[in-house]
Amino acid sequence: VDWEYFSIGKTHYLAIANCRNDKTYNINSHIYTWNGKTFEQFQAIPTNGAYGWKYFSIGGTHYLAMANYYNGKTRNINSHIYKWNGKAFESFQKLPTNGALDWEHFSIGGTHYLAVANYHNDSTHNINSHIYKWNGKAFEQFQKLPTNSARNWQYFSIDGAHYLTIANYYNGKTRNFNSPIYKW
């Protein structure tokens, strides 16, 4: 359900989020590398209803965040951040999520943030989505924002002001309502 392109040095990668096959949500998602003519499979990563990748780097270290949506039993599962070890991506940090659909990475004043869009927690669409802050070693919870079946974050800046938008989808009653824009 999602592709993410990135490059490390002169090597080009494409990561695909595989949400499910005909039998299960617990399948591998794949990272492909460009061989000069085509993309070939590079790495398989176990995922649970994978919905979105986000590539980012901090201080020259490369990361991939995976939004896990559902494992076949619950949406209250961990999503994962993977770290490049020089040869492949390895598990770095697990963060609790609720039907995660999207990650957004952004930096303000040299501080790195990672926002997750939580869609559903098995009982309600009206749940918090979270913003995590980089503490120099890992991400820690920074802020909770109320969302309604959150699907997608977008960060942007205009004239030095920083904004973060969330696309809300459903509040349990209607799909006709506003999605907020937050200002730093």
Side-chain angles (χ1 to χ4, degrees):
V1 295
D2 183 54
W3 284 103
E4 181 79 354
Y5 167 82
F6 57 96
S7 60
I8 298 174
K10 294 182 180 182
T11 305
H12 303 279
Y13 298 91
L14 270 175
I16 189 166
N18 289 322
C19 186
R20 65 174 298 173
N21 61 24
D22 290 334
K23 296 178 182 177
T24 183
Y25 287 89
N26 305 310
I27 60 173
N28 289 335
S29 290
H30 299 279
I31 302 171
Y32 298 88
T33 186
W34 180 251
N35 67 16
K37 294 182 181 181
T38 62
F39 282 95
E40 59 188 18
Q41 186 173 318
F42 170 73
Q43 186 175 0
I45 294 180
T47 54
N48 308 106
Y51 226 88
W53 288 107
K54 177 55 76 175
Y55 166 81
F56 59 96
S57 62
I58 299 174
T61 302
H62 306 278
Y63 298 91
L64 266 175
M66 164 47 65
N68 281 318
Y69 170 70
Y70 185 62
N71 68 6
K73 296 178 183 176
T74 182
R75 290 173 187 88
N76 302 316
I77 58 176
N78 289 325
S79 288
H80 299 263
I81 301 171
Y82 299 90
K83 181 179 176 182
W84 180 251
N85 68 13
K87 295 182 181 180
F89 284 94
E90 61 187 12
S91 183
F92 171 72
Q93 186 175 3
K94 298 175 186 177
L95 295 170
T97 55
N98 308 105
L101 295 186
D102 183 53
W103 286 105
E104 180 74 353
H105 171 263
F106 56 98
S107 179
I108 299 173
T111 302
H112 293 269
Y113 299 90
L114 196 56
V116 65
N118 285 322
Y119 185 79
H120 196 279
N121 70 358
D122 293 340
S123 61
T124 182
H125 295 273
N126 305 310
I127 59 174
N128 291 325
S129 288
H130 300 269
I131 300 173
Y132 297 92
K133 181 179 177 180
W134 180 251
N135 68 14
K137 295 181 181 178
F139 285 95
E140 59 188 14
Q141 189 169 299
F142 173 72
Q143 188 174 6
K144 296 178 186 179
L145 294 172
T147 55
N148 312 98
S149 291
R151 294 189 65 108
N152 186 267
W153 287 105
Q154 184 64 53
Y155 164 81
F156 59 96
S157 63
I158 299 172
D159 297 328
H162 303 275
Y163 300 91
L164 189 62
T165 64
I166 185 71
N168 285 321
Y169 179 70
Y170 182 62
N171 67 6
K173 296 178 184 174
T174 183
R175 289 172 179 84
N176 299 315
F177 59 98
N178 295 323
S179 290
I181 300 171
Y182 297 98
K183 183 177 180 182
W184 181 256

